[in-house]
Amino acid sequence: AAYHDVYCAFPILISVDPALRMWSLPCNGSASVSRAVPYVLFPNATIDGGAGSMVPVLWLGTFDERTRLWIHVGLLVAGLLLAVGVLVGSCVKPLPYGKLEETMADNGKRLLMVPTRLAYVVCQFVPGTLVFTVGYFIAGEARLEPANLFMYSLFLLHYAYRCLARPLYARYSCPKIPLWVPVYWTAVYTLYHYTNAEFIGSALYCTGYAYDPRFLLGLALFCAGFLLHCVSDSWLVSFRPSRRDTLHVAPEGCAFFLVSCPNYLGECIEWLGWAVMTWSLAGVVWLLFVMASLVPRARHYHKWYQNQFPDYPTIRTALVPFVY
């Protein structure tokens, strides 16, 4: 009795008053509050139920559902703490890639360097496609449900662009980066992508969830953010006539009229949609990490543009139009 359609109502409201079930339409399910609260953490665990069936957890062996819940919670806590650390570190000193990569030119001579394009592909493909797929199909019991498969496909769509399409046309300012940068990103992404894969592979969304406001709103945000991310990336690349051209210019047009980093804004919107659509803390923690990484970096890029181009538009902000 570990599986319940507790996604069919907002977690704190269900079973308090039958009239409150109007909030869950068109999903009509019921569960106790004690069962609903941990479901937001992980869908295959209960507080008042038994241990349940044995479920595999990647790399760690096989555990009962209660133990699996706490492993999942532990990974989420680790991801949250890591996001806080990344936020502090990114505000002080951003990672050396992109435009800020050139600030590490002298130190790069003393570091082990790898090709930028190859490093980018590997650190996107391994966690975003390989680990996510393994986690989804190995640890998930609801992996063949239509809603779950749809979310899985959306996630892979993002990383198909990131590790296949984007590296083909991207023009990197520096041909090599320190090896520790892709190693770091691969390890970090593995943590977040596995928790998300484990969750959506096991979540039993109720019948008709495709018409639920959370799903529709999340899907709209995800698609809008993905489109903004892709268009802004290609628009930025278009300002360099060839791959060998390393000259930086101040981008104009498209969403760059209002912000310096619309590609980052698009990614934040995209993962906000993912968190809403999956209705999971795993999605929320991943969103917080993305924002902890990109929000300070957008500010650094904005200052870089202002220092490089004295006539840089004053109306333009770093990430959020007219706000930040």
Side-chain angles (χ1 to χ4, degrees):
Y3 290 101
H4 293 271
D5 287 341
V6 293
Y7 262 114
C8 298
F10 291 97
I12 304 303
L13 297 179
I14 60 175
S15 296
V16 176
D17 186 336
L20 292 177
R21 291 185 184 178
M22 67 180 69
W23 290 94
S24 68
L25 295 177
C27 297
N28 296 307
S30 62
S32 66
V33 173
S34 63
R35 289 182 185 273
V37 173
Y39 193 82
V40 180
L41 290 170
F42 194 75
N44 193 29
T46 64
I47 288 179
D48 54 341
S53 59
M54 303 297 286
V55 183
V57 177
L58 193 60
W59 303 311
L60 298 178
T62 302
F63 298 92
D64 62 74
E65 293 165 2
R66 189 184 301 275
T67 303
R68 188 186 181 196
L69 167 65
W70 291 113
I71 291 176
H72 189 80
V73 171
L75 292 176
L76 291 181
V77 171
L80 183 60
L81 294 176
L82 179 59
V84 173
V86 167
L87 175 63
V88 174
S90 297
C91 290
V92 176
K93 188 175 184 180
L95 287 177
Y97 66 90
K99 296 176 183 63
L100 307 177
E101 188 175 21
E102 296 172 350
T103 62
M104 297 288 292
D106 294 334
N107 292 335
K109 298 177 182 179
R110 301 189 295 270
L111 297 173
L112 180 60
M113 309 292 284
V114 294
T116 301
R117 200 174 304 275
L118 176 62
Y120 187 87
V121 170
V122 171
C123 73
Q124 298 291 324
F125 172 77
V126 172
T129 302
L130 185 60
V131 171
F132 190 82
T133 297
V134 172
Y136 179 84
F137 284 100
I138 297 299
E141 299 79 36
R143 53 188 175 272
L144 298 182
E145 296 295 325
N148 305 61
L149 281 173
F150 182 78
M151 295 177 193
Y152 166 78
S153 301
L154 281 182
F155 196 93
L156 289 195
L157 174 65
H158 173 86
Y159 277 96
Y161 166 75
R162 296 282 290 185
C163 66
L164 294 178
R166 190 178 187 278
L168 291 178
Y169 68 78
R171 294 158 190 170
Y172 301 103
S173 56
C174 294
K176 294 186 176 182
I177 60 173
L179 175 62
W180 69 267
V181 174
V183 170
Y184 164 78
W185 282 121
T186 300
V188 168
Y189 286 166
T190 295
L191 169 64
Y192 293 102
H193 294 350
Y194 176 73
T195 54
N196 276 274
E198 187 184 28
F199 185 92
I200 68 164
S202 302
L204 281 181
Y205 297 97
C206 60
T207 303
Y209 187 68
Y211 303 99
D212 189 276
R214 290 161 292 178
F215 181 86
L216 296 175
L217 175 61
L219 178 60
L221 289 172
F222 187 94
C223 293
F226 181 69
L227 181 61
L228 177 60
H229 176 61
C230 295
V231 171
S232 300
D233 267 354
S234 60
W235 193 273
L236 187 61
V237 170
S238 68
F239 284 90
R240 288 183 182 173
S242 69
R243 287 189 177 186
R244 295 184 178 181
D245 188 358
T246 59
L247 179 65
H248 289 293
V249 297
E252 300 289 344
C254 192
F256 289 96
F257 174 73
L258 294 175
V259 294
S260 297
C261 301
N263 50 334
Y264 287 175
L265 175 61
E267 197 163 357
C268 290
I269 295 174
E270 182 181 357
W271 296 121
L272 171 62
W274 173 264
V276 173
M277 180 170 51
T278 61
W279 203 246
S280 65
L281 287 185
V284 172
V285 171
W286 167 235
L287 170 66
L288 293 177
F289 173 79
V290 170
M291 295 183 67
S293 303
L294 299 186
V295 172
R297 192 168 188 83
R299 185 64 178 175
H300 286 297
Y301 273 174
H302 185 66
K303 291 182 178 180
W304 185 91
Y305 280 124
Q306 290 176 324
N307 293 333
Q308 293 291 320
F309 307 101
D311 58 344
Y312 197 68
T314 56
I315 191 176
R316 197 176 300 181
T317 53
L319 188 66
V320 182
F322 312 114
V323 177
Y324 174 83

